[in-house]
Amino acid sequence: MAYHQLDPEDLPATDDYPCDRRALSEAVELHALHAATYEMAPGEQLPRTYHYHEHREELFYVVEGTLHVETPEREYEVPAGEVFVAEPESPHRAHNPDDAAASVRVLGVGAPPTDIALPYDPDE
């Protein structure tokens, strides 16, 4: 049996990422689940690009603030305490708008962990 307790603030931030990302999966060597915390200042976004996954299911639990998620159909506003789920092949871009009053903190999980993000161009 193996158990882990950690404070994401003790983990290093992911280099070259558009917001403060702390990789929980890598820290405890998870193999079936991707998990990370994200903190987005106003104007920052969670993913590197507007994207979708072929197989990954993604879940974003908003810890603090309001997460905005752009999709081809509409933009969602997800307040603290609520969850946003993107099913496979569902384009999305999670972000904190430029005019937001505060940062947004999110716990993001997804499975399978190795399904890479595929870019989505809303203009195509």
Side-chain angles (χ1 to χ4, degrees):
M1 288 185 261
Y3 306 95
H4 307 275
Q5 179 177 351
L6 58 112
D7 181 345
E9 293 296 318
D10 293 338
L11 300 175
T14 302
D15 290 332
D16 193 31
Y17 213 80
C19 67
D20 184 322
R21 177 183 181 271
R22 309 294 169 125
L24 304 171
S25 298
E26 289 86 348
V28 296
E29 298 181 7
L30 295 176
H31 301 289
L33 176 71
H34 166 80
T37 62
Y38 303 87
E39 184 163 353
M40 291 161 275
E44 292 183 335
Q45 66 182 26
L46 185 152
R48 288 188 168 114
T49 183
Y50 198 152
H51 72 286
Y52 68 96
H53 296 274
E54 289 183 329
H55 305 285
R56 179 185 285 178
E57 297 172 319
E58 288 189 302
L59 179 149
F60 303 109
Y61 172 72
V62 181
V63 177
E64 185 178 308
T66 299
L67 179 67
H68 289 247
V69 184
E70 180 181 351
T71 72
E73 293 83 27
R74 63 179 269 213
E75 182 163 314
Y76 292 83
E77 291 185 20
V78 188
E82 290 193 10
V83 171
F84 180 85
V85 174
E87 294 184 16
E89 303 210 10
S90 299
H92 59 284
R93 182 181 74 91
H95 65 102
N96 192 8
D98 291 332
D99 61 354
S103 291
V104 178
R105 291 181 49 221
V106 174
L107 170 65
V109 296
T114 56
D115 188 22
I116 63 167
L118 300 171
Y120 173 77
D121 185 346
D123 295 326
E124 289 185 3

